[in-house]
Amino acid sequence: MAHDLSSLDTAHTGPIHAAQLDHFGRHLATASEDQVVRIWAILDVEVRRPVAQLIGHTAPVLAVSWSHPKFGPLLASGGEDRKVLVWRGPPLEESEKESESAWGLAYSHEVQGEALAVSFGPWEYGLQLAVASSDGQVSVYSLRDESQAQAQSQILRRATAGSSPLLGPSLPPVTLPGSGGEGSGAAGSAIAGDNSLAGVAGAAPAATSGAEEATSSGRWQVENFIAHQGGCFCLCWAPAASPVTESSAGAAAGGGERRKSVVLQPRRLVTGGADQQVRIWRHDVQTNSWADSHHFPGDAHSAWIRDVAWRPNAGIPANTIASCAEDGTVVIWTQAMVGQPWEMKDKKELHGAAAWQGSRAGTG
């Protein structure tokens, strides 16, 4: 059944660089050349209401990303002014009566280059935000309570040792204002500059390459690593959990049943950059650092990589990544299951046009 498209006058005074709906499709955030982030409430197909005009950037805003709702309404933005800003909105139950004054700045940090892409990570890892910068660096921000950090570390260490931990009850949530909790974490060097943290509390583990900002409400940690020479233009988180099929002892003997379980994977990111490379990065819990896990063939694209998209978990162990570049090529990479080799499944060319952005549906 066909539906008519509807348009929205966002009230921006410059080109729109990014737009993203929240987890429930109830709010739309837009980022523009006019240095402003705007939020709209989507009440119906034809009914949209302006909610907030977020002013904090001093240059064009290039990217926005919503967090998972379990952390509350949080929106990250990044721009040419090298600022990474995290905005906090009212609780979900108050969203119907929210006003512009209900939104405020929760965190501010400056990266070394222009913040070209921002993306909140899977909720299973706690509150995680990855940022791609024009200097080729990726910054990963973490804010979690201590119990969650310890639980995740224990799970991942067992996985590294070769066991197959099941993803049981959800990990303890991040402590947000008004919830009565307060996090603590290991000591670290303070971030230089005018950084602020207001209204978000938690703790994060120590990093090999990075810094930690201590505030009255918790610690926000930053991990940095160089991903691409000449600039990192895009990134995407891998699904946190991977389904696997295990055989019981009886099944191995031919008389039992096979059962399915879900394994929590280490944090992984796929990135693309000016070096025409697509790479996978994996966080090593033993060394507490990010390592280059896989290089895709360098001849797949012949221009800057503009976007990458990792297919959400669809209940099967296979992994799929799409990458697109300014030369008009779109490549689909597949992996039968974790640990198996990656292969190029398909390659398309947009003749006479550059491929700037790609995305996956939430269902995979």
Side-chain angles (χ1 to χ4, degrees), residues 207-228:
T208 301
S209 175
E212 194 172 86
E213 177 186 3
T215 71
S216 60
S217 57
R219 296 178 183 274
W220 190 282
Q221 174 150 340
V222 187
E223 303 168 279
N224 302 304
F225 61 91
I226 297 295
H228 298 273

Side-chain angles (χ1 to χ4, degrees), residues 20-21 29 63-67 74-78 85 118-121 129-130:
Q20 189 178 88
L21 288 166
V64 289
S65 177
W66 291 94
S67 72
L74 292 177
L75 177 71
S77 60
L85 306 180
V118 297
S119 178
F120 276 108
L129 175 67

Side-chain angles (χ1 to χ4, degrees), residues 120-161:
F120 276 108
W123 67 267
E124 293 94 333
Y125 297 135
L127 189 56
Q128 304 272 319
L129 175 67
V131 179
S133 305
S134 61
D135 64 343
Q137 190 167 240
V138 169
S139 301
V140 180
Y141 300 80
S142 306
L143 188 63
R144 295 169 293 165
D145 64 35
E146 186 175 359
S147 61
Q148 182 178 11
Q150 292 175 349
Q152 181 190 340
S153 178
Q154 185 178 12
I155 290 174
L156 294 181
R157 287 182 187 279
R158 289 203 306 267
T160 304

Side-chain angles (χ1 to χ4, degrees), residues 263-285:
V263 176
L264 181 65
Q265 297 292 333
R267 289 181 291 164
R268 293 167 295 163
L269 287 164
V270 58
T271 62
D275 55 6
Q276 305 175 17
Q277 297 285 323
V278 177
R279 297 176 181 174
I280 294 176
W281 303 87
R282 179 181 182 275
H283 183 263
D284 189 334
V285 70

Side-chain angles (χ1 to χ4, degrees), residues 101-127:
S101 61
W103 282 83
L105 186 62
Y107 179 71
S108 173
H109 189 247
E110 191 167 307
V111 292
Q112 297 299 311
E114 297 177 5
L116 303 179
V118 297
S119 178
F120 276 108
W123 67 267
E124 293 94 333
Y125 297 135
L127 189 56

Side-chain angles (χ1 to χ4, degrees), residues 30-68:
T30 56
S32 171
E33 187 83 11
D34 63 8
Q35 308 176 14
V36 175
V37 175
R38 293 181 182 271
I39 298 177
W40 295 79
I42 309 300
L43 307 178
D44 201 343
V45 176
E46 297 292 343
V47 181
R48 285 71 61 94
R49 177 171 60 85
V51 168
Q53 175 179 274
L54 307 180
I55 299 176
H57 289 280
T58 57
V61 188
L62 304 176
V64 289
S65 177
W66 291 94
S67 72
H68 189 278

